[in-house]
Amino acid sequence: MSTLSFRWARLHELTAPEWHVVLAAREAVFIVEQNCPYQDADALDAQSWHLTGTCDGQLAAYLRVVDPGCKSVHAGMFYAEPSIGRVLTVSAFRGKGFGQQLMREGIDGCTRLFSGQGIRISAQSYLLDFYRSLGFVEVGDEYDEDGIPHFEMLRAPD
Ligand SMILES: CC(C)(COP(=O)(O)OP(=O)(O)OC[C@H]1O[C@@H](n2cnc3c(N)ncnc32)[C@H](O)[C@@H]1OP(=O)(O)O)[C@@H](O)C(=O)NCCC(=O)NCCS
């Protein structure tokens, strides 16, 4: 099985070409593929860790970890915990276990960076089993976010 090479960076540590590759991948997946007109590049990018996974020098997978207390899904309510989001595998690299590798590195990174805190996510409903297999459990009822059904999920600290 191929293994991803990971890099963690804050936004200001990425070069313009590196950031362009990330944004192009996010737009290709979350706007074009999922046919969802929404604001992808947002203010939270400056309040996040960005995790890139490369394979043979190409971006294959990506997620961001929004700092504790910054992510809001419902008006005025902020996640107290770090929040993993924008989880993607570039379409040409899917079905190789990269999504699993990416999430495991994301969880390990949260544990290192935010020791003792859980991880809260807004998960697309079709991936409930994927996130359950990584230790997340649903909190509350399904809700709509940008026209896509989601569940809030929480992973307890290790
Ligand atoms: C979700 C995603 C990151 C998975 O990436 P991947 O590299 O193909 O995932 P893996 O090969 O590691 O598969 C891991 C598990 O994901 C689940 N999974 C992957 N694609 C799935 C799909 N389309 N529907 C349901 N489950 C899926 C499977 O349970 C799989 O487990 P398996 O080993 O039993 O088959 C990828 O399909 C993607 O980028 N999707 C679009 C973006 C998205 O919806 N992100 C999540 C936002 S909450």
Side-chain angles (χ1 to χ4, degrees):
M1 189 177 73
S2 305
T3 306
L4 291 174
S5 300
F6 289 112
R7 178 185 172 201
W8 287 89
R10 299 297 287 191
L11 181 56
H12 67 271
E13 295 172 322
L14 295 170
T15 65
E18 286 168 344
W19 183 235
H20 177 262
V21 169
V22 166
L23 278 194
R26 282 177 20 178
E27 289 179 9
V29 172
F30 294 111
I31 300 177
V32 179
E33 178 185 324
Q34 298 195 340
N35 192 24
C36 180
Y38 87 120
Q39 184 61 52
D40 178 66
D42 62 14
L44 294 180
D45 283 320
Q47 297 173 300
S48 297
W49 285 93
H50 300 273
L51 173 61
T52 51
T54 53
C55 179
D56 297 330
Q58 283 188 284
L59 183 72
Y62 165 87
L63 61 73
R64 75 178 181 186
V65 177
V66 180
D67 294 339
C70 295
K71 165 84 176 168
S72 170
V73 174
H74 310 292
M77 300 284 287
F78 293 89
Y79 289 177
E81 305 84 0
S83 181
I84 293 177
R86 303 291 200 272
V87 177
L88 70 86
T89 298
V90 172
S91 62
F93 292 95
R94 290 192 190 152
K96 302 172 186 291
F98 286 169
Q100 287 273 357
Q101 282 183 43
L102 175 76
M103 279 301 298
R104 290 192 191 287
E105 175 64 22
I107 292 165
D108 287 350
C110 285
T111 303
R112 283 194 305 271
L113 291 161
F114 307 107
S115 173
Q117 299 196 43
I119 305 168
R120 198 174 292 270
I121 63 174
S122 180
Q124 293 192 17
S125 301
Y126 85 103
L127 290 171
L128 271 186
D129 286 343
F130 173 58
Y131 290 118
R132 283 178 184 143
S133 75
L134 292 156
F136 289 88
V137 293
E138 299 96 287
V139 179
D141 298 325
E142 190 175 60
Y143 58 90
D144 178 281
E145 189 179 332
D146 299 315
I148 296 177
H150 281 74
F151 275 94
E152 184 174 316
M153 300 184 86
L154 180 63
R155 188 179 193 280
D158 284 330

